[in-house]
Amino acid sequence: MHQRITLTLLILSVASINQTLSAQTKAKVEILHANTGEQRANLGPNVQLLLGDVKLKHENTIMHCDSAYLHKHQDSTFIEAFHHIHIIQNDSIHLFGDKLTYNTVEGIARVRDNVKIEKQDITVLTEFLDYDRIKNFGYYFNGGEVLSGQNTLISDWGYYYPDVSEVHFKDSVVVHNPRYTIFSDTLKYHTVTEVATILGPTFIHSDNNLIYSENGHYDTMNDKAHLLKGENQSYVQGSENLLKGDTIYYDRQKGLGEAFSNFELHDTTNNLIITGDYGYYNELSEYALATKRAQLLQIYQNDTLFLHADTLQAIPLPQEESKLVKAYYNVKFFRTDMQGRCDSMVYDFRDSTNTFYNSPVIWAQENQMTAQTIKLYSRNNELYKAELINSAFIISPEVDSLLFNQIKGRNMVGHIKNNEIYRIDVDGNGQTVYYPKDEDIVIGVNRAESSNLSIFLSEKQITGIKLRTEPAGNLNPPYLLPAEDVRLQGFIWLEKIRPKSKLDIFKHVEMPRMDEYTKVYDDYQFGDTEN
């Protein structure tokens, strides 16, 4: 037992000696040069004053100054140095300033006034800097700037880590570059790659656009950004367009922005928004594409059109300073006063025209319109004309939905005011079936035909019809004829596939086959030449 205690004491004694030697080694400061060195009684017995071209060494660090006080203790040395401070760390990092305090055990050099750090092409400028020589990083806390390539980075707080070539900036961060300026809350900057890591709300201003992000990276050397979603979405805002997304890849030189998840492109000039799960936009050519739950939002004065298709494109017309928006495959749209379906659609900004292709069907309040092609014309964001081209057909049900007013012809033009059709002009093979009323009571069924005719409406009811060429027709008592005899050939009522809300445009509902609903009059043959 006595031997074990003695051995333990010996081990502790050796450890204590090693710690003492280590402390003494850390405390040792070599005086490599000084013009004069002296000890003054008024400074104390352990203080040495060095004057003139002072050069000191502590481990792998060299210190230059004009004058210095060395406060020597058993396990540490405290240095106060003045004027023309120059510290060289590991032969690669140069630290300059006017004042220095340094404790050999703590290993932190506190440099004040006209402070500068240089390493290769990186320069740090500040008035207050603490440099941890042991962990090899420096930090300022009262404002500073970093010069790197074409970038000047300014912040209230900054941490420089030369071993990993990084500077961390906090509070009032500003990055000046000839092409843009970055304003940030928190930023990390890699001094070799010149890539800025965005760690907080950040704005990047340039002559062409504004970038906002709370998370991501910006390659300042190659002008490329990878922006991620923080609490808010990242975006790239130009003079006329705004690109948003959960993830954005942006190439400033190519003008290309690519967004994944919740892609949004806002055309602020034309009150248009394109969305999708994926999309991209070229701000130089102004071409855009959206897919995967792609949606077009067309904003009118008092309403918004919601349109969905497999793919949406915005195609510029540079010579005319205009553009086209194309929607193709499985197009469905909803507006409170109008809904529709078709295979494809083109919106032409030159004349504010929506053209629907391949057997479209459009519901305008109680009216159902079908044709091979339908065009809707707008003026000042208000619809004023609908053009039905080839096999035009308009159906409007009565209150009980068993009787249907019908207008059919080769081509039709519907004139619209205050979102209501007030006149319909039919050109070629015009045919009508409608139910005249007397004080809201149906008094008969009127069937008529004319090569050209016009129908007049008021408060959604037919008030008159004008047969222009070779008119023919008759009036029968109501409810006398069976339903199939008062329906024009090609009659089909498609209410069950009508989008009832903006969410319905994403529901898949099969379009019924038109030929299954074709009916012909038994007692009245119009001789329709279009069939």
Side-chain angles (χ1 to χ4, degrees), residues 103-117:
N103 186 301
T104 57
V105 173
E106 185 183 35
I108 296 178
R110 293 177 170 83
V111 187
R112 303 293 182 264
D113 300 339
N114 300 312
V115 182
K116 179 170 66 173
I117 298 178

Side-chain angles (χ1 to χ4, degrees), residues 251-263:
D251 188 324
R252 184 184 296 276
Q253 296 178 7
K254 295 181 179 179
L256 181 63
E258 186 178 20
F260 297 83
S261 298
N262 296 313
F263 164 83

Side-chain angles (χ1 to χ4, degrees), residues 133-288:
R133 190 190 60 79
I134 299 173
K135 296 180 180 179
N136 198 26
F137 78 96
Y139 56 95
Y140 59 81
F141 43 86
N142 196 25
E145 61 183 279
V146 176
L147 310 180
S148 172
Q150 292 185 313
N151 299 317
T152 300
L153 303 98
I154 302 170
S155 66
D156 289 347
W157 289 72
Y159 297 80
Y160 177 41
Y161 301 88
D163 288 345
V164 293
S165 302
E166 285 184 355
V167 187
H168 296 194
F169 299 94
K170 179 66 178 173
D171 294 340
S172 303
V173 185
V174 182
V175 181
H176 293 286
N177 184 286
R179 300 180 300 277
Y180 51 81
T181 303
I182 300 175
F183 299 91
S184 180
D185 170 76
T186 306
L187 204 69
K188 182 169 68 176
Y189 180 80
H190 195 276
T191 60
V192 176
T193 63
E194 298 186 18
V195 172
T197 300
I198 299 168
L199 301 172
T202 299
F203 295 89
I204 305 175
H205 292 264
S206 72
D207 293 337
N208 298 324
N209 58 33
L210 166 67
I211 298 174
Y212 174 81
S213 184
E214 299 172 5
N215 184 16
H217 303 85
Y218 191 87
D219 184 342
T220 67
M221 187 183 301
N222 299 301
D223 285 340
K224 293 181 179 180
H226 177 199
L227 311 175
L228 303 173
K229 183 179 179 181
E231 291 186 7
N232 301 290
Q233 277 188 312
S234 301
Y235 63 79
V236 180
Q237 182 174 10
S239 58
E240 297 180 352
N241 291 280
L242 172 67
L243 171 65
K244 301 175 70 176
D246 290 353
T247 300
I248 297 177
Y249 292 94
Y250 174 69
D251 188 324
R252 184 184 296 276
Q253 296 178 7
K254 295 181 179 179
L256 181 63
E258 186 178 20
F260 297 83
S261 298
N262 296 313
F263 164 83
E264 291 184 24
L265 179 63
H266 296 243
D267 184 337
T268 54
T269 301
N270 298 292
N271 296 321
L272 204 70
I273 302 173
I274 295 175
T275 69
D277 286 343
Y278 168 79
Y280 65 85
Y281 173 65
N282 190 313
E283 62 186 0
L284 301 181
S285 67
E286 297 185 354
Y287 174 84

Side-chain angles (χ1 to χ4, degrees), residues 321-335:
E321 296 183 352
S322 188
K323 70 176 71 174
L324 302 175
V325 172
K326 291 186 177 181
Y328 45 93
Y329 308 134
N330 304 312
V331 176
K332 296 185 286 293
F333 67 88
F334 173 85
R335 202 172 83 171

Side-chain angles (χ1 to χ4, degrees), residues 401-406 433 435 445 447 477-489 491-492 517-523:
S401 297
L402 296 175
L403 307 177
F404 295 89
N405 295 319
Q406 301 155 62
V433 172
Y435 295 84
V445 51
R447 301 183 304 183
Y479 309 107
L480 179 65
L481 299 176
E484 61 267 21
D485 291 337
V486 290
R487 294 184 180 177
L488 298 174
Q489 182 180 0
F491 177 94
I492 178 172
Y517 292 84
T518 301
K519 301 294 180 182
V520 182
Y521 284 120
D522 289 337
D523 62 340

